[in-house]
């Protein structure tokens, strides 16, 4: 069985600062993918970044980077230079085969 | 390219009524997923299709829920009869089988059952 754990229900960050959102996972599969999605208050789910279990380098997409520590089974999202528009719910997810399991989310609020 | 399209965006109905939610996946995507999001249970996978064939419906809560995908560009999720506990946001998502696995979500349908 797959499990995603996001232990931070809510986070605050000052505008222009960096923030790390935590995600740990559990799976017995050797091949899997890890994702982060953003859900603003408008409700849509926006794909941010992907990390494959065999990728040796951490994924980066603009201001987003994924700190992948395979031995620790963690896949933390780092947002650099936070902007007011980054205020949203953030979901960590894992895919093994075709099934995707989502975490409970972290609500990020960026303070001006 | 158009993203995943869902209709209606909002649905308010009374307990006992039939509800049908619709989804048009992104053209060329061969996987389609139906999710339900609630405050209590988070985002749950209900069912997914590959090439129009249902692969895993283990997340469908009960027999009142059914889903179909008659062709590559259309899917429905039906609830009959609806109950107040079905109130949630229902998302449809699609992905290309040859991709890394990221799913692209529709805007969701907010269902309220009174």
């Amino acid at each position: 069985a797959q499990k995603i754990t996001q232990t931070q229900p809510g986070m605050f960050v000052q505008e222009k600062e960096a923030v790390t959102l935590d995600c740990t996972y559990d799976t017995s599969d050797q091949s899997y993918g890890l994702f982060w999605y953003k859900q603003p208050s408008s409700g849509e789910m926006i794909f941010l970044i992907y990390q494959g279990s065999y990728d040796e380098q951490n994924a980066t997409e603009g201001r987003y980077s994924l700190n992948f520590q395979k031995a620790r089974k963690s896949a933390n999202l780092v947002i650099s230079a936070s902007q007011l528009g980054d205020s949203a719910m953030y979901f960590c997810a894992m895919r093994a085969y075709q099934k995707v399991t989502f975490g409970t989310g972290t609500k990020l609020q960026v303070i001006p | 390219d158009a993203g995943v399209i869902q209709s209606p965006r909002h649905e308010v109905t009374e307990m006992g009524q039939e509800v049908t939610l619709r989804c048009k996946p992104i053209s060329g995507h061969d996987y389609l997923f139906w999710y339900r999001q609630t405050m209590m249970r988070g985002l749950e996978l209900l069912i997914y299709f590959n090439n129009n064939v249902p692969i895993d419906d283990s997340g469908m809560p009960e027999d009142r829920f059914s889903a179909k995908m008659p062709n590559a560009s259309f899917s429905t999720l039906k609830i009959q009869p609806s109950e107040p506990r079905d109130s949630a946001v229902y998302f449809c998502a699609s992905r290309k089988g040859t991709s890394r696995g990221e799913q692209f979500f529709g805007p969701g349908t907010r269902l309220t059952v009174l």
Side-chain angles (χ1 to χ4, degrees):
Chain A
Q2 304 174 81
K3 187 174 181 181
I4 293 281
T5 302
Q6 294 181 255
T7 57
Q8 306 154 313
M11 292 272 292
F12 289 92
V13 64
Q14 202 77 39
E15 193 178 7
K16 300 181 185 178
E17 296 293 313
V19 63
T20 298
L21 306 184
D22 294 341
C23 173
T24 58
Y25 62 91
D26 191 21
T27 182
S28 56
D29 295 302
Q30 296 301 308
S31 178
Y32 50 88
L34 296 156
F35 306 85
W36 279 89
Y37 284 85
K38 172 184 178 181
Q39 187 176 41
S41 58
S42 51
E44 70 267 34
M45 294 285 285
I46 302 167
F47 165 73
L48 293 178
I49 195 167
Y50 166 85
Q51 179 85 41
S53 58
Y54 293 115
D55 294 343
E56 294 186 352
Q57 292 198 338
N58 288 342
T60 60
E61 293 283 351
R63 293 186 300 110
Y64 304 108
S65 60
L66 199 152
N67 185 359
F68 180 47
Q69 299 188 40
K70 195 170 183 177
R72 294 186 176 185
K73 293 189 174 180
S74 73
N76 298 339
L77 177 70
V78 180
I79 306 175
S80 62
S82 297
Q83 302 172 355
L84 295 178
D86 294 334
S87 294
M89 282 289 287
Y90 288 82
F91 292 94
C92 180
M94 177 174 63
R95 177 188 61 78
Y97 299 104
Q98 300 304 331
K99 293 193 74 169
V100 177
T101 304
F102 285 82
T104 52
T106 295
K107 184 171 183 177
L108 177 67
Q109 296 186 64
V110 181
I111 305 167
Chain B
D1 288 341
V4 176
I5 299 171
Q6 290 186 249
S7 64
R9 295 292 307 277
H10 302 273
E11 177 81 29
V12 180
T13 190
E14 292 190 345
M15 183 174 64
Q17 297 297 306
E18 177 179 297
V19 175
T20 299
L21 311 182
R22 297 172 176 80
C23 174
K24 176 179 169 56
I26 294 172
S27 177
H29 283 193
D30 48 352
Y31 283 89
L32 183 140
F33 304 82
W34 281 101
Y35 290 90
R36 177 173 68 175
Q37 186 178 35
T38 61
M39 289 294 293
M40 291 297 294
R41 300 176 69 90
L43 202 60
E44 305 173 275
L45 175 64
L46 299 178
I47 185 172
Y48 76 91
F49 296 83
N50 177 218
N51 291 325
N52 314 337
V53 176
I55 302 300
D56 186 341
D57 65 353
S58 59
M60 296 285 261
E62 48 198 273
D63 292 345
R64 298 184 296 106
F65 286 70
S66 63
K68 294 182 180 179
M69 192 165 185
N71 57 62
S73 59
F74 184 66
S75 177
T76 60
L77 179 67
K78 186 177 293 186
I79 308 172
Q80 165 64 17
S82 58
E83 297 183 3
R85 61 191 167 125
D86 301 331
S87 297
V89 178
Y90 291 81
F91 286 102
C92 176
S94 70
R95 65 169 281 240
K96 200 175 179 70
T98 54
S99 71
R100 300 170 304 184
E102 64 268 34
Q103 300 177 6
F104 294 89
F105 283 74
T109 295
R110 182 173 294 277
L111 173 65
T112 302
V113 184
L114 303 174

